[in-house]
């Protein structure tokens, strides 16, 4: 589940995180790992809310609120992922195939070394781009293979789609093709 919003409840003694479960299921009492940014903590799920109704279990494609008792305020942030411990890893480098739209739809030239604003699920992270050897520039209406080095590690998987912005404009989309360490 990607964390879309975080709320402090019970005078800061419990954190409630909301988001959509992408796959699998979660039950009250299950342990979940916070993946991405400075995550890595494993926590028990204290409760599950679906549309302000307490449920014992939630499954894929459900929008839920997970109660994480005993979690310090600020230890969970938008863009992190809650997953079964060890099932998803955080990565700061990946290879991707990207596509750039036309100029009138926001497309801009992309060169090696440029820093893009990468949108992965609900996470927004800056990343430096390296084009494939022999490629000087990617122009609007073209695509290519790039390597991205993110400023912070985020939960990534091969085949994951993302969008990116360049100079404050929506500049293109991509698919993670390989995770590198």
């Amino acid at each position: 589940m990607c964390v879309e919003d975080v709320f402090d409840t019970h005078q800061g003694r419990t954190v409630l995180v909301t988001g959509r479960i992408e796959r699998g299921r979660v039950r009250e009492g299950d342990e979940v790992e916070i993946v991405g940014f400075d995550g890595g903590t494993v926590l028990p799920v204290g409760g599950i809310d679906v549309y302000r109704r307490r449920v014992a279990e939630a499954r894929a494609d459900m929008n839920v609120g997970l109660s994480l008792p005993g979690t310090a305020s600020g230890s969970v942030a938008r863009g992190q992922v809650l997953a079964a411990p060890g099932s998803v890893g955080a990565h700061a480098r990946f290879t991707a195939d990207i596509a750039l739209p036309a100029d009138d739809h926001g497309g801009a030239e992309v060169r090696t070394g440029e820093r893009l604003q990468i949108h992965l699920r609900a996470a927004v992270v800056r990343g430096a781009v390296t084009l494939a050897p022999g490629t000087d520039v990617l122009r609007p209406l073209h695509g290519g293979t790039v390597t991205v080095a993110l400023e912070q590690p985020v939960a990534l998987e091969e085949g994951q789609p993302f969008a990116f912005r360049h100079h404050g404009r929506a500049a293109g989309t991509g698919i993670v093709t390989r995770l590198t360490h």
Side-chain angles (χ1 to χ4, degrees):
M1 175 183 113
C2 180
V3 176
E4 294 175 9
D5 216 341
V6 180
F7 303 95
D8 287 329
T9 59
H10 301 104
Q11 290 78 36
R13 292 188 309 262
T14 300
V15 170
L16 177 73
V17 297
T18 61
R20 185 179 68 81
I21 297 175
E22 291 181 8
R23 64 177 180 257
R25 65 168 171 74
V26 64
R27 292 184 180 152
E28 192 171 328
D30 284 353
E31 289 190 334
V32 293
E33 179 181 12
I34 301 172
V35 181
F37 305 139
D38 293 323
T41 307
V42 176
L43 304 164
V45 174
I48 304 168
D49 293 324
V50 177
Y51 300 110
R52 297 185 183 181
R53 202 177 92 235
R54 184 63 66 126
V55 297
E57 177 181 282
R59 295 186 174 275
D61 295 326
M62 293 176 74
N63 289 313
V64 300
L66 298 181
S67 177
L68 304 173
T71 305
S73 178
S75 62
V76 183
R78 177 180 170 84
Q80 290 180 313
V81 169
L82 298 180
S87 65
V88 177
H91 300 272
R93 292 182 58 83
F94 63 93
T95 302
D97 289 332
I98 63 169
L100 303 170
D103 284 330
D104 56 342
H105 288 99
E109 290 184 348
V110 174
R111 299 176 189 279
T112 292
E114 290 190 310
R115 290 171 26 97
L116 304 175
Q117 191 177 42
I118 311 290
H119 295 258
L120 295 145
R121 294 185 177 103
V124 180
V125 181
R126 286 222 170 264
V129 174
T130 304
L131 301 180
T135 305
D136 295 331
V137 63
L138 287 179
R139 291 187 166 67
L141 288 178
H142 290 91
T145 300
V146 298
T147 300
V148 179
L150 300 173
E151 290 180 351
Q152 295 179 304
V154 295
L156 284 174
E157 297 177 298
E158 290 182 2
Q160 181 176 332
F162 65 93
F164 59 91
R165 297 177 68 83
H166 186 45
H167 299 301
R169 297 174 18 188
T173 60
I175 301 279
V176 175
T177 56
R178 194 176 84 238
L179 300 172
T180 56
H181 299 283

